[in-house]
Amino acid sequence: MNAAQLLIQCLENEGVEYMFGVPGEENIDVMDAVLDSSIQFVTARHETSAAFMASTYGRLTGKPGVCLATLGPGATNLLTGVANANMDHCPLIAITGQAGLDRQHKESHQYYDLVDIYEPVTKWNAQLKTGEMIPEAVRKAYKLASEEKPGATHIDLPEDIAESEVEGAPLPISRSTLPTAETSVIQEAAEAVNEAHFPLILAGNGVTRAEASEELQELTEKASIPVVHSFMGKGALSWKHEHNLFAAGSGTDYITCGFSKADLIITIGFDMAETPPESWNPSGRTPVLHIDTDTAEIDSHYPVKVNVVGNIRENLAQLNTSISRQKRDLSWAENVRSQMLEDMNAHNEDDSFPLKPQKIISDLRRTLNDEDIVISDVGAHKMWMSRLYPAALPNTCLISNGLASMGVSVPGAVGAKLAHPDKTVVAVCGDGALLMTEAEMETAARLQLPIIILLWRDEGYGLIEWHQKKKFERTSHIGFGNPDFSKLAEAFGFESLRVEKGEALTETLEHAISLNKPVFIDCPVDYGENMKLTEKLNTIQCD
């Protein structure tokens, strides 16, 4: 066999089901080898989208998603999606075709050193200098991509190596487990919790990756500690739980007073790439109990009192047995929660048109089941979704908040639907983000994936407009024109629906779900609510 065939055999051995990518001249041996494998190749329309598909699949399954590109522009297109996966801690393996070894020493057509280019945005990457390297390289790429904290790895395959004859076989799979913290560390953490008067938990996406929601709930109930989530941690504790204070990261909000009041902040599976500690611990004086798979990053606003490092689920379980059962005064937390619930429900019956963001979110939540999946793109809608969309289960409201690349929702919905074909998947996006990766609508239609795209249409870059108005009280070059989205969606093979009155969205969503086919919903949004929210939150005073 040739090296490309061995590569595919090794990926099959790892349990890879899908490979997302774009065929090219330098990866044709890999493309041919896929034909004789059990791996389903998903032909994307752009390499960045292929990486978005793979990373979303990886986030939802815990198994690295695999994406493929050719050399040169294919590989550089793939780079953004790989960087996005790495910073969001989604397990992913990127494979690139490359120029032959015989021309890499000189200026050559489409050749760049991809190992150098990918080094800053991956956990590990290497070029295959011989075919015999493949079993070790694939095993290492898969192992490192999936281990905590997960992220992206990269294998660069020169075309002359890909076609070379080789002998070899996949390596056996070994699973590693994270250690637990020492008993003395758990005891020190328990003492910190017991002695705190106003502790507050900040739950990140690491809770979901560790499948530690039950342990988190036991901690909050036993020690009477309220929980606030990062954007990517939403759903770690159900929004229905009385101790859930929703999400932090949108700037000043009701929870700001909770952070100000706290005398201990317990971070669990939290990643600083999401929300800088300066935003919730501006003085840097509130001590932090750090519970994660890695030791804490050094940050002057993140003063770690205790580092509890290792298996999050096991460490939480041990902590729960060591802490005292307490009934703390949570009247301040009840106040925060009641204000957030009031904001969430304030426009439930508002039939004004265009629809307010709060109304869109309310109708979406009432229509979907708890286990259904919503993927938010990046834009003004992301800030509203992260603040107000109530998640009852982990990984049901997916928000990219590491690199936070626009265009992630539509290709992400393809990856999500392949991972969970039994769940309704909705891509929530703005018109700015949509037209960065709209070509993947054809991919969804070709695969007959019944995803729903819910477009919040405002004819501009709404989030940037929001920031400009806050800082300068005027806007600069944020408007643009749009195509006829109904015709565009139909041209791509979607059923096209348009919301034309305020009370119509719920019925439209229900109809879209019943069709069980790719559906596009054009919903005009009133972003006049953006500055109203800013003005409201700016009045918050913490005593």
Side-chain angles (χ1 to χ4, degrees), residues 91-106:
L92 176 141
I93 299 173
I95 301 171
T96 54
Q98 182 56 287
L101 296 176
D102 61 343
R103 64 182 178 98
Q104 292 185 16
H105 64 288
K106 58 187 176 181

Side-chain angles (χ1 to χ4, degrees), residues 163-216:
E163 65 185 9
S164 65
E165 292 187 7
V166 65
E167 292 183 2
L171 296 181
I173 296 173
S174 60
R175 305 295 185 193
S176 57
T177 58
L178 287 168
T180 55
E182 295 181 1
T183 302
S184 60
V185 174
I186 295 293
Q187 190 57 44
E188 187 179 358
E191 290 173 2
V193 173
N194 291 338
E195 293 170 2
H197 295 289
F198 301 106
L200 176 64
I201 294 171
L202 174 55
N205 193 36
V207 177
T208 297
R209 293 196 303 267
E211 298 181 345
S213 289
E214 289 185 10
E215 289 74 15
L216 172 64

Side-chain angles (χ1 to χ4, degrees), residues 198-202 220 223-228 237 242-245 328 330 332-333:
F198 301 106
L200 176 64
I201 294 171
L202 174 55
T220 182
S224 294
I225 307 175
V227 178
V228 63
L237 182 69
E242 61 180 353
H243 290 174
N244 188 322
L245 302 187
R328 292 183 168 92
L330 295 185
W332 69 269

Side-chain angles (χ1 to χ4, degrees), residues 349-363:
E349 308 305 324
D350 186 344
D351 291 335
S352 59
F353 187 84
L355 282 75
K356 292 180 172 59
Q358 303 96 316
K359 171 66 171 176
I360 299 176
I361 293 172
S362 174
D363 287 358

Side-chain angles (χ1 to χ4, degrees), residues 240-467:
K240 302 171 186 177
H241 197 285
E242 61 180 353
H243 290 174
N244 188 322
L245 302 187
F246 303 97
S250 303
T252 301
D253 212 325
Y254 305 129
I255 191 56
T256 301
C257 297
F259 280 115
S260 298
K261 186 177 183 68
D263 60 355
L264 178 68
I265 299 173
I266 305 169
T267 62
I268 308 175
F270 169 73
D271 298 318
M272 285 190 187
E274 279 203 78
T275 306
E278 184 178 8
S279 67
W280 45 263
N281 194 9
S283 68
R285 290 195 296 266
T286 308
V288 173
L289 169 54
H290 176 84
I291 302 174
D292 200 10
T293 54
D294 285 344
T295 55
E297 174 69 88
I298 302 300
D299 188 299
S300 58
H301 298 273
Y302 200 82
V304 176
K305 182 172 183 148
V306 186
N307 257 309
V308 181
V309 178
N311 186 302
I312 293 175
R313 184 178 182 180
E314 294 298 327
N315 284 338
L316 280 180
Q318 290 190 33
L319 180 62
N320 288 336
T321 63
S322 302
I323 59 175
S324 304
R325 184 172 296 278
Q326 298 193 42
K327 188 65 177 177
R328 292 183 168 92
D329 178 10
L330 295 185
S331 55
W332 69 269
E334 293 167 1
N335 185 43
V336 171
R337 180 171 170 82
S338 65
Q339 290 180 93
M340 283 300 301
L341 288 171
E342 183 178 338
D343 279 10
M344 289 169 59
N345 297 320
H347 295 276
N348 288 358
E349 308 305 324
D350 186 344
D351 291 335
S352 59
F353 187 84
L355 282 75
K356 292 180 172 59
Q358 303 96 316
K359 171 66 171 176
I360 299 176
I361 293 172
S362 174
D363 287 358
L364 182 61
R365 175 67 283 175
R366 286 187 292 182
T367 305
L368 297 180
N369 297 321
D370 285 348
E371 64 272 15
D372 292 332
I373 298 171
V374 174
I375 304 176
S376 174
D377 219 297
V378 176
H381 58 281
K382 169 187 163 182
M383 308 311 291
W384 286 103
M385 288 289 294
S386 61
R387 185 172 187 267
L388 295 183
Y389 186 84
L393 296 169
N395 270 343
T396 55
C397 180
L398 305 189
I399 295 175
S400 174
N401 204 40
L403 190 66
S405 176
M406 292 179 71
V408 70
S409 65
V410 173
V414 171
K417 194 64 179 178
L418 290 173
H420 292 292
D422 56 325
K423 299 179 181 180
T424 297
V425 175
V426 180
V428 172
C429 56
D431 37 10
L434 174 68
L435 289 181
M436 292 187 177
T437 54
E438 85 288 346
E440 304 311 331
M441 293 170 66
E442 187 278 326
T443 306
R446 174 173 17 101
L447 298 176
Q448 297 181 327
L449 297 177
I451 67 170
I452 297 171
I453 298 174
L454 177 58
L455 174 69
W456 297 30
R457 177 166 54 83
D458 71 318
E459 321 290 338
Y461 293 114
L463 181 58
I464 306 307
E465 178 185 31
W466 196 349
H467 284 299

Side-chain angles (χ1 to χ4, degrees), residues 1-2 5-7 9-10 131-135 165-171:
M1 60 183 166
N2 64 29
Q5 292 168 327
L6 179 58
L7 173 71
Q9 282 189 17
C10 290
E132 285 72 22
M133 292 172 58
I134 288 174
E165 292 187 7
V166 65
E167 292 183 2
L171 296 181

